[in-house]
Amino acid sequence: MKKNKQIIISGFALFSMFFGSGNLIFPPTLGIQAGTEWWISALGFLLTGVGFVMLGVLATTKVGGEISGIGQRVGNNFSKLFSLLIILCIGPGLAIPRTAATTSEVLQASLAPSVPSILVNGIFFLLVIYFCLSESKVIDILGKYLTPALLVTLTIIILRAVLFPLGHPVDLHAHGVFGFSFKQGYQTMDCLAALMFTFIVIQGFRDLGYEGQALMTFTKKAAAIAGIGLSFIYGGFIYLGSTISSFGWEGLSRVELLVKSTDAMLGIVGMILLSLAMTLACLTTAIGLTVTCAEYFQKISRNKLSYRFLVYLVSLVSFFLSLGGVEYIIKVSGPILEGIYPVAIILILAILFDRFIKKRSTYIGLVFGALVPVLSKLLALFIHIDYYAQLQKTMPENQGTFLWLAFSLVFGLIFTFLPIKEVDSLEE
């Protein structure tokens, strides 16, 4: 009974961890762009936004629950760099600024249309700093009520969209829907977060004395619970977007579309509840990420940089970046995530199937192949030709999205036969 209770608790903990309300802005836009092919869009988005997230949890659990165990399959220096890039992505570089930008745009589209972003974002980060540096439990208390309220509201919206849709999906003759939606799943950044935060969730099982295969079994069950919940929410909102694909709302921003569709579904009360709950969820996410970043940089600086200073620094950098707005942050983050996500995905898969991979050189080859798109872009700065992009154009759109995977497998095979020194973590 106790272990079943812990599985359920951990499953909901995983769901809450990865269900950043900021991610909710993507599914409706995907649906409105896909029309009748919304289900293909859902498959692509859920593969990266849910599937590889949960596989990331399992892979990290398999190597002990720490991200260092993922990167060390390639090498210690790579592990440190990989961890740093991830913390920058889910921290002050991309994710934290987007929580503030989402909050201001949600409020502007619903409750406070005339309030400038600089004011909302400034107040947002003053609250982040306050709660990061204090022991106040106000946010936790509010979260116990508003987070369930958000989930109830979302469930009602989805059921309303299915049972009493505002319209019907139209055939937009969209191309490359699966591949495009797959890459949009990168924007959740949850696959990266899974590598960083899995240890928090599995600690509950360890406290009950479970390790090894038992720990993996319970983590799989918890991941299944979280995966079902995330798939329901994301898939439901992609379908919602498809039902309004004939409304002419394509020109709306992601945030505006989410707020307007909620207003159309549930009226002003639903829109207000969604806006307030999303605002709190973005705030709690920003607080958690800021604490994580400050503690990470304090650790790698060997306490030369104080936690308080780092909270101020992360918040200040995030504040200035947040002023660019949600759409700008998404635009900037696209190329960055397209560079780091393939590396994360191939390492996750390699670790889950590590019984077939016996050499460190194979891991190096897999990562090198996954980086071919990035290396090609860097080379193009000098020779003005992006050979990888040119090769992609010769392929169907969906297949071109996964061209990096072919390079990864080929280089993984080639590097297997190279005389590269092994590391301790891979020795029998």
Side-chain angles (χ1 to χ4, degrees):
M1 182 64 70
K2 184 179 291 187
K3 67 180 182 182
N4 290 334
K5 180 180 178 181
Q6 187 60 47
I7 289 172
I8 295 173
I9 291 174
S10 297
F12 279 106
L14 272 176
F15 175 85
S16 299
M17 182 184 299
F18 296 120
F19 180 63
S21 62
N23 294 338
L24 197 60
I25 65 176
F26 297 104
T29 299
L30 288 175
I32 206 171
Q33 293 171 341
T36 52
E37 295 191 339
W38 67 269
W39 62 276
I40 298 177
S41 179
L43 288 175
F45 186 78
L46 293 180
L47 184 56
T48 41
V50 179
F52 279 114
V53 176
M54 298 307 149
L55 291 179
V57 170
L58 298 180
T60 309
T61 301
K62 188 172 183 178
V63 297
E66 299 285 346
I67 188 174
S68 58
I70 300 284
Q72 282 175 354
R73 297 298 177 104
V74 178
N76 288 329
N77 290 332
F78 171 83
S79 178
K80 294 175 182 177
L81 178 60
F82 188 54
S83 300
L84 177 61
L85 290 175
I86 287 180
I87 204 72
L88 289 175
C89 285
I90 66 174
L94 300 175
I96 297 177
R98 199 175 77 193
T99 59
T102 299
T103 296
S104 64
E105 293 187 22
V106 164
L107 292 177
Q108 288 168 345
S110 57
L111 306 178
S114 60
V115 178
S117 295
I118 191 169
L119 177 60
V120 175
N121 294 7
I123 295 173
F124 183 93
F125 281 109
L126 286 176
L127 290 172
V128 168
I129 292 170
Y130 171 76
F131 285 109
C132 286
L133 299 180
S134 73
E135 297 181 358
S136 174
K137 300 297 182 183
V138 173
I139 289 293
D140 292 336
I141 295 171
L142 288 174
K144 290 181 180 179
Y145 297 99
L146 283 183
T147 299
L150 173 63
L151 296 179
V152 170
T153 302
L154 298 181
T155 301
I156 293 173
I157 292 173
I158 292 171
L159 293 177
R160 168 80 163 76
V162 173
L163 300 176
F164 308 100
L166 294 173
H168 298 284
V170 296
D171 188 358
L172 301 175
H173 305 289
H175 300 285
V177 172
F178 182 84
F180 176 77
S181 300
F182 181 88
K183 289 201 294 185
Q184 282 294 293
Y186 296 175
Q187 292 286 347
T188 67
M189 290 181 261
D190 283 343
C191 187
L192 307 182
L195 307 182
M196 189 66 68
F197 297 125
T198 292
F199 74 94
I200 297 174
V201 176
I202 65 175
Q203 189 58 48
F205 294 127
R206 284 177 167 165
D207 290 342
L208 294 176
Y210 295 106
E211 292 289 350
Q213 189 57 45
L215 179 63
M216 277 294 292
T217 299
F218 292 137
T219 304
K220 287 178 183 178
K221 293 179 180 179
I225 293 173
I228 291 171
L230 289 169
S231 298
F232 173 73
I233 298 295
Y234 290 153
F237 270 78
I238 289 175
Y239 176 73
L240 164 62
S242 73
T243 64
I244 54 177
S245 53
S246 63
F247 283 29
W249 290 357
E250 296 83 0
L252 296 177
S253 71
R254 290 171 174 83
V255 172
E256 290 171 339
L257 179 61
L258 176 62
V259 172
K260 189 166 185 175
S261 58
T262 301
D263 184 27
M265 284 284 179
L266 300 182
I268 187 66
V269 174
M271 183 181 68
I272 291 174
L273 182 58
L274 179 75
S275 300
L276 290 176
M278 282 188 66
T279 297
L280 178 74
C282 284
L283 181 60
T284 55
T285 298
I287 292 168
L289 292 176
T290 301
V291 168
T292 299
C293 290
E295 291 177 344
Y296 173 83
F297 287 114
Q298 183 183 29
K299 180 180 179 180
I300 65 172
S301 71
R302 298 180 181 178
N303 294 320
K304 292 180 181 178
L305 299 175
S306 71
Y307 171 78
R308 176 178 290 271
F309 168 77
L310 288 166
V311 166
Y312 282 118
L313 180 61
V314 169
S315 299
L316 184 63
V317 172
S318 299
F319 167 71
F320 282 112
L321 293 178
S322 71
L323 298 178
V326 172
E327 296 298 326
Y328 175 76
I329 294 172
I330 291 173
K331 181 179 179 180
V332 170
S333 64
I336 297 172
L337 295 175
E338 286 181 25
I340 195 170
Y341 243 84
V343 174
I345 289 174
I346 202 65
L347 283 175
I348 288 170
L349 293 175
I351 287 168
L352 291 176
F353 294 96
D354 62 357
R355 64 183 178 274
F356 302 112
I357 304 175
K358 303 300 181 182
K359 300 181 68 176
R360 175 188 173 221
S361 58
T362 307
Y363 286 95
I364 295 175
L366 290 171
V367 169
F368 180 81
L371 287 172
V372 164
V374 176
L375 298 175
S376 180
K377 283 184 172 61
L378 292 175
L379 184 62
L381 296 176
F382 302 97
I383 63 175
H384 308 294
I385 299 176
D386 187 341
Y387 286 109
Y388 181 85
Q390 293 295 321
L391 182 58
Q392 269 189 316
K393 290 179 181 179
T394 65
M395 305 173 65
E397 292 179 60
N398 285 326
Q399 287 88 328
T401 301
F402 302 96
L403 179 59
W404 63 266
L405 182 58
F407 277 102
S408 182
L409 295 175
V410 169
F411 278 105
L413 180 61
I414 294 173
F415 273 55
T416 299
F417 300 100
L418 298 182
I420 297 176
K421 183 180 179 181
E422 297 297 314
V423 292
D424 292 340
S425 60
L426 289 183
E427 291 180 353
E428 297 293 334

